[in-house]
Amino acid sequence: MKKTILGTACLFGMLAVVLGAFGAHGLKNLVELEAVATFETGVRYQMYHAFFLLALGLLPSEVLKSKKAIYICTVVGVVLFSFSIYLLALNSLVAFDFKMFGVITPIGGLFLIAAWAMMGYGIMKSKNVK
């Protein structure tokens, strides 16, 4: 599980850098500034959660027992939250209307909040953290 968590952290981090560069250099010529800002929000939250997964993967198993559930909530949250934001920001570039995906964004946010809550609860409950 540790390799999976750390590998996903690296993948999310790498994609955040690539998408951030695209947003900063290529996107501003294609969409309105508001859409660029929206896109950057998705990138920012994706990078935050890449670091979150890195910390999760590096925590000893004795400290945190529920790593798999936290990992799943984080991955689902990033995909639903950040990737729905990317689609919404790029909506004007394609014929398909991605606005219906706007309802998915807060669901992704709830998964991210749940991951943080589970990690915090697990750390506070752990007898191995002083």
Side-chain angles (χ1 to χ4, degrees):
M1 189 79 224
K2 184 175 186 172
K3 277 187 178 182
T4 301
I5 294 170
L6 293 174
T8 305
C10 292
L11 177 65
F12 279 177
M14 178 196 67
L15 286 174
V17 172
V18 169
L19 292 170
F22 169 69
H25 301 292
L27 195 57
K28 61 183 166 188
N29 297 326
L30 301 173
V31 296
E32 295 179 19
L33 287 178
E34 184 178 318
V36 173
T38 299
F39 192 89
E40 288 173 353
T41 298
V43 170
R44 189 174 332 109
Y45 276 80
Q46 182 176 330
M47 185 58 87
Y48 292 158
H49 290 89
F51 288 130
F52 177 84
L53 286 175
L54 192 61
L56 176 66
L58 294 175
L59 277 172
S61 295
E62 304 82 48
V63 171
L64 204 55
K65 306 280 186 225
S66 57
K67 282 188 176 187
K68 186 173 183 178
I70 296 167
Y71 169 77
I72 291 169
C73 279
T74 305
V75 170
V76 169
V78 167
V79 169
L80 295 180
F81 185 84
S82 290
F83 286 81
S84 66
I85 287 178
Y86 300 146
L87 293 175
L88 290 168
L90 299 173
N91 197 49
S92 65
L93 299 177
V94 294
F96 186 80
D97 188 9
F98 288 115
K99 288 183 183 170
M100 67 179 156
F101 288 106
V103 71
I104 294 172
T105 308
I107 296 169
L110 289 174
F111 274 96
L112 295 173
I113 292 166
W116 280 95
M118 286 190 290
M119 188 161 149
Y121 178 77
I123 290 170
M124 296 307 290
K125 187 177 151 186
S126 176
K127 293 176 178 25
N128 295 313
V129 177
K130 296 178 184 177

